[in-house]
mmCIF file of all heavy atoms in Angstrom:
data_model
loop_
_atom_site.group_PDB
_atom_site.id
_atom_site.type_symbol
_atom_site.label_atom_id
_atom_site.label_comp_id
_atom_site.label_asym_id
_atom_site.label_seq_id
_atom_site.Cartn_x
_atom_site.Cartn_y
_atom_site.Cartn_z
ATOM 1 N N HIS N 456 24.790 -9.994 -22.389
ATOM 2 C CA HIS N 456 24.850 -10.952 -23.511
ATOM 3 C C HIS N 456 23.872 -12.117 -23.297
ATOM 4 O O HIS N 456 23.152 -12.492 -24.195
ATOM 5 C CB HIS N 456 26.284 -11.471 -23.638
ATOM 6 C CG HIS N 456 26.421 -12.659 -24.447
ATOM 7 N ND1 HIS N 456 26.332 -12.649 -25.881
ATOM 8 C CD2 HIS N 456 26.630 -13.997 -24.168
ATOM 9 C CE1 HIS N 456 26.365 -13.885 -26.336
ATOM 10 N NE2 HIS N 456 26.639 -14.664 -25.382
ATOM 11 N N ASN N 457 23.870 -12.648 -22.071
ATOM 12 C CA ASN N 457 23.030 -13.825 -21.827
ATOM 13 C C ASN N 457 21.583 -13.482 -21.582
ATOM 14 O O ASN N 457 20.743 -14.422 -21.501
ATOM 15 C CB ASN N 457 23.607 -14.607 -20.643
ATOM 16 C CG ASN N 457 24.833 -15.428 -21.043
ATOM 17 O OD1 ASN N 457 24.704 -16.338 -21.882
ATOM 18 N ND2 ASN N 457 25.981 -15.127 -20.438
ATOM 19 N N ALA N 458 21.236 -12.248 -21.450
ATOM 20 C CA ALA N 458 19.837 -11.869 -21.385
ATOM 21 C C ALA N 458 19.121 -12.065 -22.674
ATOM 22 O O ALA N 458 17.876 -12.092 -22.804
ATOM 23 C CB ALA N 458 19.701 -10.404 -20.931
ATOM 24 N N LEU N 459 19.933 -12.222 -23.800
ATOM 25 C CA LEU N 459 19.398 -12.513 -25.095
ATOM 26 C C LEU N 459 18.299 -11.611 -25.612
ATOM 27 O O LEU N 459 17.219 -12.081 -26.061
ATOM 28 C CB LEU N 459 18.937 -14.044 -25.137
ATOM 29 C CG LEU N 459 20.102 -15.067 -24.852
ATOM 30 C CD1 LEU N 459 19.455 -16.410 -24.744
ATOM 31 C CD2 LEU N 459 21.148 -15.050 -25.889
ATOM 32 N N GLY N 460 18.503 -10.368 -25.414
ATOM 33 C CA GLY N 460 17.568 -9.353 -25.895
ATOM 34 C C GLY N 460 16.566 -8.833 -24.807
ATOM 35 O O GLY N 460 15.988 -7.789 -25.044
ATOM 36 N N ASN N 461 16.454 -9.528 -23.715
ATOM 37 C CA ASN N 461 15.672 -9.130 -22.577
ATOM 38 C C ASN N 461 16.409 -7.992 -21.833
ATOM 39 O O ASN N 461 17.589 -7.976 -21.911
ATOM 40 C CB ASN N 461 15.294 -10.197 -21.637
ATOM 41 C CG ASN N 461 14.148 -11.112 -22.132
ATOM 42 O OD1 ASN N 461 13.172 -10.608 -22.678
ATOM 43 N ND2 ASN N 461 14.262 -12.396 -21.931
ATOM 44 N N PRO N 462 15.632 -7.138 -21.096
ATOM 45 C CA PRO N 462 16.359 -6.140 -20.280
ATOM 46 C C PRO N 462 17.243 -6.826 -19.256
ATOM 47 O O PRO N 462 16.952 -7.867 -18.740
ATOM 48 C CB PRO N 462 15.226 -5.423 -19.573
ATOM 49 C CG PRO N 462 13.995 -5.685 -20.423
ATOM 50 C CD PRO N 462 14.173 -7.005 -21.019
ATOM 51 N N PHE N 463 18.346 -6.139 -18.887
ATOM 52 C CA PHE N 463 19.241 -6.657 -17.861
ATOM 53 C C PHE N 463 19.340 -5.630 -16.771
ATOM 54 O O PHE N 463 19.466 -4.406 -17.042
ATOM 55 C CB PHE N 463 20.534 -7.098 -18.464
ATOM 56 C CG PHE N 463 21.763 -6.366 -18.056
ATOM 57 C CD1 PHE N 463 22.345 -6.697 -16.835
ATOM 58 C CD2 PHE N 463 22.346 -5.411 -18.825
ATOM 59 C CE1 PHE N 463 23.511 -5.968 -16.426
ATOM 60 C CE2 PHE N 463 23.460 -4.698 -18.450
ATOM 61 C CZ PHE N 463 24.066 -5.008 -17.218
ATOM 62 N N TRP N 464 19.398 -6.136 -15.490
ATOM 63 C CA TRP N 464 19.443 -5.268 -14.300
ATOM 64 C C TRP N 464 20.658 -5.705 -13.421
ATOM 65 O O TRP N 464 21.080 -6.889 -13.552
ATOM 66 C CB TRP N 464 18.224 -5.413 -13.495
ATOM 67 C CG TRP N 464 17.028 -4.689 -14.008
ATOM 68 C CD1 TRP N 464 16.336 -4.944 -15.137
ATOM 69 C CD2 TRP N 464 16.326 -3.601 -13.368
ATOM 70 N NE1 TRP N 464 15.296 -4.072 -15.320
ATOM 71 C CE2 TRP N 464 15.221 -3.263 -14.170
ATOM 72 C CE3 TRP N 464 16.512 -2.925 -12.129
ATOM 73 C CZ2 TRP N 464 14.409 -2.215 -13.889
ATOM 74 C CZ3 TRP N 464 15.646 -1.936 -11.779
ATOM 75 C CH2 TRP N 464 14.561 -1.560 -12.638
ATOM 76 N N ILE N 465 21.135 -4.854 -12.671
ATOM 77 C CA ILE N 465 21.906 -5.199 -11.475
ATOM 78 C C ILE N 465 20.902 -5.337 -10.337
ATOM 79 O O ILE N 465 20.483 -4.324 -9.789
ATOM 80 C CB ILE N 465 22.971 -4.232 -11.104
ATOM 81 C CG1 ILE N 465 23.956 -3.943 -12.352
ATOM 82 C CG2 ILE N 465 23.847 -4.748 -9.894
ATOM 83 C CD1 ILE N 465 24.567 -5.146 -12.884
ATOM 84 N N THR N 466 20.535 -6.540 -10.000
ATOM 85 C CA THR N 466 19.528 -6.765 -9.085
ATOM 86 C C THR N 466 19.904 -6.493 -7.656
ATOM 87 O O THR N 466 19.088 -6.090 -6.800
ATOM 88 C CB THR N 466 18.892 -8.193 -9.179
ATOM 89 O OG1 THR N 466 18.932 -8.663 -10.517
ATOM 90 C CG2 THR N 466 17.502 -8.291 -8.617
ATOM 91 N N GLU N 467 21.182 -6.777 -7.385
ATOM 92 C CA GLU N 467 21.710 -6.455 -6.055
ATOM 93 C C GLU N 467 23.155 -5.939 -6.177
ATOM 94 O O GLU N 467 23.993 -6.659 -6.655
ATOM 95 C CB GLU N 467 21.789 -7.740 -5.099
ATOM 96 C CG GLU N 467 20.410 -8.257 -4.769
ATOM 97 C CD GLU N 467 20.555 -9.489 -3.807
ATOM 98 O OE1 GLU N 467 21.520 -9.577 -3.146
ATOM 99 O OE2 GLU N 467 19.580 -10.276 -3.829
ATOM 100 N N LEU N 468 23.339 -4.644 -5.822
ATOM 101 C CA LEU N 468 24.700 -4.090 -5.818
ATOM 102 C C LEU N 468 25.106 -3.812 -4.430
ATOM 103 O O LEU N 468 24.296 -3.359 -3.599
ATOM 104 C CB LEU N 468 24.669 -2.760 -6.631
ATOM 105 C CG LEU N 468 26.037 -2.083 -6.774
ATOM 106 C CD1 LEU N 468 27.062 -2.879 -7.467
ATOM 107 C CD2 LEU N 468 25.878 -0.730 -7.518
ATOM 108 N N HIS N 469 26.363 -4.042 -4.086
ATOM 109 C CA HIS N 469 26.907 -3.882 -2.797
ATOM 110 C C HIS N 469 26.643 -2.493 -2.214
ATOM 111 O O HIS N 469 27.082 -1.465 -2.746
ATOM 112 C CB HIS N 469 28.435 -4.065 -2.851
ATOM 113 C CG HIS N 469 29.131 -4.336 -1.599
ATOM 114 N ND1 HIS N 469 29.930 -5.432 -1.346
ATOM 115 C CD2 HIS N 469 29.118 -3.649 -0.423
ATOM 116 C CE1 HIS N 469 30.459 -5.294 -0.123
ATOM 117 N NE2 HIS N 469 29.988 -4.257 0.484
ATOM 118 N N GLY N 470 25.892 -2.417 -1.070
ATOM 119 C CA GLY N 470 25.378 -1.117 -0.585
ATOM 120 C C GLY N 470 26.170 -0.498 0.493
ATOM 121 O O GLY N 470 26.327 0.708 0.518
ATOM 122 N N GLY N 471 26.674 -1.347 1.391
ATOM 123 C CA GLY N 471 27.321 -0.719 2.497
ATOM 124 C C GLY N 471 28.412 -1.655 3.203
ATOM 125 O O GLY N 471 28.860 -2.611 2.564
ATOM 126 N N ASN N 472 28.709 -1.345 4.461
ATOM 127 C CA ASN N 472 29.773 -2.008 5.116
ATOM 128 C C ASN N 472 29.588 -3.507 5.341
ATOM 129 O O ASN N 472 28.508 -3.944 5.683
ATOM 130 C CB ASN N 472 29.988 -1.327 6.503
ATOM 131 C CG ASN N 472 31.292 -1.753 7.127
ATOM 132 O OD1 ASN N 472 32.334 -1.651 6.524
ATOM 133 N ND2 ASN N 472 31.245 -2.268 8.421
ATOM 134 N N VAL N 473 30.619 -4.299 5.108
ATOM 135 C CA VAL N 473 30.597 -5.739 5.393
ATOM 136 C C VAL N 473 31.789 -5.992 6.436
ATOM 137 O O VAL N 473 32.906 -5.781 6.145
ATOM 138 C CB VAL N 473 30.802 -6.598 4.197
ATOM 139 C CG1 VAL N 473 30.865 -8.037 4.512
ATOM 140 C CG2 VAL N 473 29.625 -6.295 3.201
ATOM 141 N N THR N 474 31.318 -6.444 7.552
ATOM 142 C CA THR N 474 32.294 -6.692 8.627
ATOM 143 C C THR N 474 32.694 -8.178 8.805
ATOM 144 O O THR N 474 33.857 -8.569 9.045
ATOM 145 C CB THR N 474 31.869 -6.179 9.988
ATOM 146 O OG1 THR N 474 30.545 -6.821 10.271
ATOM 147 C CG2 THR N 474 31.726 -4.674 9.977
ATOM 148 N N ALA N 475 31.688 -9.062 8.528
ATOM 149 C CA ALA N 475 31.903 -10.469 8.866
ATOM 150 C C ALA N 475 31.358 -11.454 7.861
ATOM 151 O O ALA N 475 31.801 -12.552 7.671
ATOM 152 C CB ALA N 475 31.326 -10.793 10.252
ATOM 153 N N SER N 476 30.314 -11.044 7.116
ATOM 154 C CA SER N 476 29.557 -11.986 6.340
ATOM 155 C C SER N 476 30.012 -12.214 4.954
ATOM 156 O O SER N 476 29.499 -13.104 4.201
ATOM 157 C CB SER N 476 28.067 -11.663 6.293
ATOM 158 O OG SER N 476 27.869 -10.469 5.436
ATOM 159 N N GLY N 477 31.030 -11.547 4.517
ATOM 160 C CA GLY N 477 31.635 -11.696 3.142
ATOM 161 C C GLY N 477 32.987 -12.362 3.190
ATOM 162 O O GLY N 477 33.466 -12.722 4.320
ATOM 163 N N ASN N 478 33.580 -12.535 2.077
ATOM 164 C CA ASN N 478 34.950 -13.010 2.032
ATOM 165 C C ASN N 478 35.978 -11.945 2.346
ATOM 166 O O ASN N 478 37.069 -12.294 2.828
ATOM 167 C CB ASN N 478 35.215 -13.641 0.658
ATOM 168 C CG ASN N 478 34.510 -14.889 0.357
ATOM 169 O OD1 ASN N 478 34.200 -15.696 1.262
ATOM 170 N ND2 ASN N 478 34.011 -15.059 -0.907
ATOM 171 N N VAL N 479 35.662 -10.756 2.015
ATOM 172 C CA VAL N 479 36.592 -9.588 2.130
ATOM 173 C C VAL N 479 35.886 -8.486 2.874
ATOM 174 O O VAL N 479 34.818 -8.013 2.442
ATOM 175 C CB VAL N 479 37.083 -9.054 0.775
ATOM 176 C CG1 VAL N 479 37.984 -7.922 0.991
ATOM 177 C CG2 VAL N 479 37.751 -10.150 0.013
ATOM 178 N N PRO N 480 36.389 -8.004 4.027
ATOM 179 C CA PRO N 480 35.735 -6.851 4.744
ATOM 180 C C PRO N 480 35.812 -5.643 3.780
ATOM 181 O O PRO N 480 36.944 -5.308 3.230
ATOM 182 C CB PRO N 480 36.578 -6.689 5.952
ATOM 183 C CG PRO N 480 37.239 -7.971 6.215
ATOM 184 C CD PRO N 480 37.426 -8.559 4.816
ATOM 185 N N TYR N 481 34.710 -4.962 3.561
ATOM 186 C CA TYR N 481 34.815 -3.890 2.552
ATOM 187 C C TYR N 481 33.574 -2.930 2.774
ATOM 188 O O TYR N 481 32.441 -3.428 3.121
ATOM 189 C CB TYR N 481 34.681 -4.443 1.163
ATOM 190 C CG TYR N 481 34.679 -3.400 0.100
ATOM 191 C CD1 TYR N 481 35.750 -2.582 -0.195
ATOM 192 C CD2 TYR N 481 33.531 -3.282 -0.746
ATOM 193 C CE1 TYR N 481 35.740 -1.589 -1.208
ATOM 194 C CE2 TYR N 481 33.503 -2.303 -1.723
ATOM 195 C CZ TYR N 481 34.621 -1.424 -1.974
ATOM 196 O OH TYR N 481 34.609 -0.537 -2.976
ATOM 197 N N CYS N 482 33.856 -1.694 2.639
ATOM 198 C CA CYS N 482 32.758 -0.668 2.578
ATOM 199 C C CYS N 482 33.006 0.293 1.420
ATOM 200 O O CYS N 482 34.068 0.957 1.414
ATOM 201 C CB CYS N 482 32.686 0.155 3.889
ATOM 202 S SG CYS N 482 31.311 1.294 3.911
ATOM 203 N N PRO N 483 32.146 0.326 0.416
ATOM 204 C CA PRO N 483 32.380 1.272 -0.689
ATOM 205 C C PRO N 483 32.403 2.708 -0.158
ATOM 206 O O PRO N 483 31.660 3.067 0.696
ATOM 207 C CB PRO N 483 31.188 1.043 -1.576
ATOM 208 C CG PRO N 483 30.584 -0.288 -1.163
ATOM 209 C CD PRO N 483 30.930 -0.431 0.287
ATOM 210 N N THR N 484 33.233 3.509 -0.728
ATOM 211 C CA THR N 484 33.208 4.951 -0.531
ATOM 212 C C THR N 484 32.066 5.491 -1.401
ATOM 213 O O THR N 484 31.554 4.822 -2.248
ATOM 214 C CB THR N 484 34.519 5.697 -0.858
ATOM 215 O OG1 THR N 484 34.684 5.519 -2.376
ATOM 216 C CG2 THR N 484 35.696 5.058 -0.115
ATOM 217 N N ALA N 485 31.760 6.761 -1.132
ATOM 218 C CA ALA N 485 30.725 7.376 -1.997
ATOM 219 C C ALA N 485 31.215 7.411 -3.470
ATOM 220 O O ALA N 485 30.444 7.176 -4.341
ATOM 221 C CB ALA N 485 30.427 8.839 -1.488
ATOM 222 N N ALA N 486 32.518 7.755 -3.636
ATOM 223 C CA ALA N 486 33.079 7.704 -5.059
ATOM 224 C C ALA N 486 32.998 6.348 -5.642
ATOM 225 O O ALA N 486 32.687 6.209 -6.846
ATOM 226 C CB ALA N 486 34.561 8.236 -4.954
ATOM 227 N N HIS N 487 33.252 5.315 -4.889
ATOM 228 C CA HIS N 487 33.155 3.914 -5.416
ATOM 229 C C HIS N 487 31.696 3.663 -5.854
ATOM 230 O O HIS N 487 31.492 3.005 -6.886
ATOM 231 C CB HIS N 487 33.594 2.887 -4.372
ATOM 232 C CG HIS N 487 35.035 3.019 -4.049
ATOM 233 N ND1 HIS N 487 35.633 2.363 -2.911
ATOM 234 C CD2 HIS N 487 36.085 3.755 -4.603
ATOM 235 C CE1 HIS N 487 36.910 2.633 -2.941
ATOM 236 N NE2 HIS N 487 37.224 3.487 -3.899
ATOM 237 N N THR N 488 30.787 3.999 -5.028
ATOM 238 C CA THR N 488 29.382 3.731 -5.374
ATOM 239 C C THR N 488 28.992 4.398 -6.703
ATOM 240 O O THR N 488 28.360 3.753 -7.544
ATOM 241 C CB THR N 488 28.443 4.272 -4.251
ATOM 242 O OG1 THR N 488 28.701 3.561 -3.030
ATOM 243 C CG2 THR N 488 26.985 4.154 -4.573
#
Side-chain angles (χ1 to χ4, degrees):
H456 164 73
N457 283 298
L459 298 172
N461 280 323
F463 115 80
W464 284 65
I465 306 300
T466 324
E467 296 184 22
L468 180 63
H469 196 129
N472 192 53
V473 174
T474 54
S476 67
N478 292 325
V479 178
Y481 178 66
C482 184
T484 66
H487 294 169
T488 296

